[in-house]
Amino acid sequence: MLKELLAAGKSGDKVRLFMANRSGLYEIEAILNQKSGKSFQIIPKQ
């Protein structure tokens, strides 16, 4: 489902992702790129 939602976006669109673990809820903002490869990078918010 996430793959289809991201594929519907355009290059330059901003998306917000919410992740949860035992420590709490985290929000991540990402800007979509034209590259459609399977690589990604997660950088903790300071």
Side-chain angles (χ1 to χ4, degrees):
M1 181 178 201
L2 178 60
K3 183 178 179 179
E4 290 83 11
L5 290 171
L6 293 176
K10 297 179 289 182
S11 180
D13 285 352
K14 289 184 181 180
V15 295
R16 291 185 341 186
L17 304 172
F18 294 89
M19 303 173 77
N21 64 17
R22 292 180 183 166
S23 300
L25 180 66
Y26 300 93
E27 178 183 352
I28 297 172
E29 184 176 276
I31 300 173
L32 299 182
N33 192 343
Q34 288 182 340
K35 182 178 178 183
S36 60
K38 294 185 178 184
S39 64
F40 60 92
Q41 182 179 12
I42 297 175
I43 301 172
K45 192 174 178 180
Q46 296 295 327

